[in-house]
Amino acid sequence: MPSALAQAIADGARSGGASSVSTLPSITVQEQRAAATDTYAGGQVATGGRVGLLGDKDFMDTPFSTVSYTDAFVEDRQAKDITDVIAATDPTVFSNGVTGAWSENYSIRGYASSTSDMTINGLFGMAPYYRTSPEMFERIEVLKGPSALLNGMPPGGSVGGAVNLIPKRAGSQPLTRISANYASDAQFGGHLDAGRRLGSDQQFGIRFNAAYRDGEGAVRRQDKTVQLGALGLDWRGERTRLFADLYRADDTVHGPARGVGLAAGLAVPRPPRNDVLINPDWAIVESRDKGAIVRGEFDLNDRIMAYAAYGISETNYQYNGSISALILNEAGDFRTTIGQLAFDLKKQSAAIGVQGKHTTGSVGHQWAVNATHYAHEQDDYGRRSVPGADWVTNLYHPVWGPAAPFVAPHISHTELRLDSIGIADTMSFAADRLQVTLGVRRQQVVSDTFSVATGARTSRYDESATTPAAALLLKFSSTVAGYANYIEGLSQGATAPMTAANAGDVFAPYKTRQKELGLKVDLGRFAHTFSLFEITRPSSYTDPVTNVFSFGGEQRNRGLEWGFFGAPVDGVRLMGGVSVVDPKVTRTLDARNQGKAATGVPKQQGKVGAEWDVPGVQGVTVTANATAVSKQYISADNTLWAAGRTLYDVGARYTTTVADTSVTLRAAVNNLTNKAYWGMPLLSSLALGAPRTYLLSATVDF
């Protein structure tokens, strides 16, 4: 068996470290590699994470605002999806609070993020499409702001931030962990997590996760079912590492939340009881996802590492229920329109690249180059309204009509391909105290639409764009670092509609631009991030005078953020922060709305999560969480809004040993005061936030 020192040096070499055992660079690289897996005091947040093209980087060496949540935080939160994790304590992430919707829903830095843009190990399209149960992941990483250079163009065009999921791997110690869980009012489930390393040098690893939940949630007559199976394999040689991940995830909601709109001239009504279902109880949304990913890494020498990854996945989706609802009067009567939608989506994603480092005189270089590929084929089915299935009911006492038989004719077949190549170099000066990162990515977007009757292509979108980025990081001391960056996001442009004077014009992918200044303070056990940012994103419209379609609109978000995490004193863990953002519509078709606040974005958020290990009571921890959110405008002219809210969560856990077996019991109450409030969903104006919800779980490690 190799010595501990030799193993540490080998680990450093895998990340592109120096070959000399006695030189400082080798020690530095070892610390950088550990950044991806080490945690701050309390174990809730990792000390670093993956930064796309740049690879794994320590928190203090990253010139962007990032946070990387651990699986321990996920388990203690009793999280049921990714939004439960990233929106719990981060003031830059906003969630409408709706439970049982057809999709997760969150925004980062004031811009809505598509769940389809989450990555697994940096590959787009491999995560479940609309909702992701987190049991199979050991880290959930959030990078705030656009990231076209780092990750390539997201298929859904998200620009406010990027979420990357890192699958679990078998650790050096055998693991068999079984959990049972409950959520009000009658949802029960379980989770199995097992891991083993095999071989004379433990070179082969197996990690298996399975989860199941079923039953009525806190909203009456809304049933949710989740099934997940995931297998993670890895093999570690002297210079080669191989990984494989396979999963199957099924998510079903009976009585999904969809939301309601307002007829012209109506004020926002008072919310009904928050456990009322505002959608037919017979409505159903089903998502079936499966994927397989392989990745290989090879150390060409002690300073250069090459890698390649490839994945395939498939999503089958079906929805039958309310597709829109409109409140008609002050009494709360509303008309429900039934729709039926389905799609089949097949995806491929790949990346190949090289990372290395060298020194030119007194200047150190950490460079990277990679190429990415993403492609999907999508068949859409359904109808936007079902003849004879509409009816009127009341917001406060809804009564539903009969179920509509599902009929879904084939609507369209589309194909999308995204290819890119990126290169970046981080130059280090003055013993790494000053680091300058420069990079550029060239992206091609090809989108085709085909006739479902003849199979012939009816339209094509083929455009390219180049997105640069620059960042600077200055370490004032071992505990304080300042940073600045300019980086762009990329979203697919549009084709002018047939009614426009420039009908058929194809617009290049449009760029979202971020400028950011930040400060990081790492006190060893407790860390802070302060940042000032400006993000501008174009939008499209057709000029009513010239009838010319263009990307002449713009939303500009300026913000100030403060975030913190770690354990400032023994036995106390804190996470949270404050965010202030000005989401202004700076150019728009309707001059009356110019300068107004963008819809769906709170201007202020404050969050804090706390844990306290009770002195004198071994193994007992009490927890609390508070979220304060300002109002969100729901009309472009800012005359209507969903009121702000303050929510409280409380909980406790107890960890003990029974017959040499570790046992952890957890209990939590979310929305302690059972506050009823409106949130703004993806496709309508108003939806009810989740009511008071009780969570219980018991975990046993064998």
Side-chain angles (χ1 to χ4, degrees), residues 211 213 225-229 247-252 286-290:
R213 296 189 295 275
T225 303
V226 171
Q227 301 177 72
L228 170 69
Y247 77 88
R248 170 70 185 260
D250 295 345
D251 187 282
T252 303
E286 298 177 292
S287 293
R288 305 283 183 261
D289 294 278
K290 56 186 177 182

Side-chain angles (χ1 to χ4, degrees), residues 483-550:
Y483 70 91
N485 66 63
Y486 171 83
I487 191 167
E488 297 182 349
L490 204 59
S491 305
Q492 183 177 332
T495 301
M498 296 306 295
T499 55
N502 57 335
D505 282 2
V506 176
F507 288 80
Y510 62 90
K511 299 178 182 180
T512 299
R513 295 174 170 86
Q514 172 180 276
K515 293 174 283 188
E516 180 180 13
L517 288 172
L519 187 70
K520 298 185 178 185
V521 180
D522 185 351
L523 304 177
R525 297 173 54 86
F526 198 57
H528 301 259
T529 298
F530 306 86
S531 61
L532 291 164
F533 69 87
E534 178 183 278
I535 305 176
T536 55
R537 183 182 191 184
S539 59
S540 62
Y541 61 73
T542 301
D543 189 284
V545 177
T546 64
N547 197 34
V548 172
F549 176 88
S550 70

Side-chain angles (χ1 to χ4, degrees), residues 654-679:
Y654 175 54
T655 301
T656 188
T657 300
V658 179
D660 296 326
T661 299
S662 175
V663 177
T664 302
L665 306 176
R666 301 178 181 89
V669 184
N670 293 343
N671 191 1
L672 178 66
T673 62
N674 200 30
K675 184 176 182 61
Y677 63 91
W678 290 116

Side-chain angles (χ1 to χ4, degrees), residues 236-267:
R236 303 172 183 173
E238 183 178 353
R239 287 187 174 271
T240 304
R241 295 163 299 283
L242 303 175
F243 309 92
D245 294 282
L246 303 95
Y247 77 88
R248 170 70 185 260
D250 295 345
D251 187 282
T252 303
V253 181
H254 292 269
R258 185 77 182 193
V260 294
L262 292 171
L266 285 183

Side-chain angles (χ1 to χ4, degrees), residues 10 45 64 107 148 151 165 316 333 356 396 399 439 487 539-540 564 641:
V45 175
F64 305 98
S107 63
N151 301 303
L165 311 175
N316 305 109
D333 296 327
Y396 305 102
V399 177
I487 191 167
S539 59
S540 62
F564 54 82
W641 60 84

